[in-house]
Amino acid sequence: MALSILILGAGIGGLSAAIALRKSGFAPTLVEQAPELREAGAGVGIWSNAMDSLGQLGVADILRPTALPLRILSSAN
């Protein structure tokens, strides 16, 4: 029997943790407070090392077709 693990929050971190734990033989349960999925009107920036980690989880190729590369990073001074 796999060890049960509770993950609070279905954001990028919670989803990534759930995938990694499941691949490692655990049985994660993911809990999200939002009653439904909806657009938030925000963009998400993922650095190259984070994309490498998502690749190890097997989900980077799902994201790449809709991703746009970040070419310029500036501060809002």
Side-chain angles (χ1 to χ4, degrees):
M1 182 173 167
L3 180 64
S4 296
I5 297 175
L6 179 63
I7 300 171
L8 302 177
I12 292 173
L15 292 170
S16 297
I19 292 168
L21 287 165
R22 183 169 302 274
K23 286 185 171 205
S24 297
F26 295 95
T29 298
L30 193 56
V31 178
E32 172 57 49
Q33 70 176 350
E36 62 186 28
L37 296 176
R38 60 183 173 82
E39 290 185 25
V44 176
I46 301 176
W47 293 99
S48 58
N49 58 343
M51 283 299 289
D52 290 343
S53 296
L54 292 174
Q56 291 176 12
L57 296 175
V59 297
D61 289 339
I62 297 168
L63 299 174
R64 282 192 180 96
T66 57
L68 299 172
L70 180 61
R71 302 282 184 216
I72 298 172
L73 181 65
S74 64
S75 64
N77 292 352

